[in-house]
Every structure is written in C-alpha cells, then in structure tokens.
Amino acid sequence: MKIPVVELSECILCGVCEEVCPSVFNLSELGYVSVAELPMYPESEVDEAIKNCPADCIFWQEP
C-alpha cells in the first residue's frame, strides 16, 4: 500500500493539503503537517493535494 508523505523541511504550511484532503492531512498544534495513520488512503484526494501543493513536498512512498 502506498503511503502519503510530507517532506516537512520543504513544507511552507500553506494549508492546501488539509483543505483538499482533511481526512489525511492536518496541521498539528505544534505547527507542522501530519499524516493520519489510515488502513487505506483516498488516492484521488491525496493526488489532488500533491498536485496543488505549492512547495511540491507531498509524495507517495511505497513500503
């Protein structure tokens, strides 16, 4: 199963991923984007977040 990953060192905290795919991405109280641990990720929504990320810091990782 592919897992979405956010490269935090490149993330600009714009909130686009959280807006497009709130079931997977959220901005933590500590000020960084976290990825929810899910048994399966909504591929089309994550792909939309990847496509719209201005920092290009979201990608799929194969385990």
Side-chain angles (χ1 to χ4, degrees):
M1 175 181 74
K2 296 190 299 186
I3 300 169
V5 175
V6 177
E7 181 57 57
L8 296 176
S9 65
E10 296 175 19
C11 180
I12 60 172
L13 302 173
C14 68
V16 169
C17 58
E18 185 177 28
E19 185 178 314
V20 171
C21 189
S23 64
V24 175
F25 304 101
N26 65 55
L27 186 59
S28 77
E29 292 176 6
L30 299 175
Y32 62 89
V33 174
S34 64
V35 177
E37 289 188 33
L38 302 173
M40 197 163 191
Y41 293 94
E43 193 165 335
S44 62
E45 292 176 29
V46 173
D47 284 343
E48 193 68 19
I50 291 170
K51 183 176 84 174
N52 288 291
C53 177
D56 290 326
C57 64
I58 306 169
F59 57 93
W60 285 108
Q61 184 175 48
E62 297 284 345

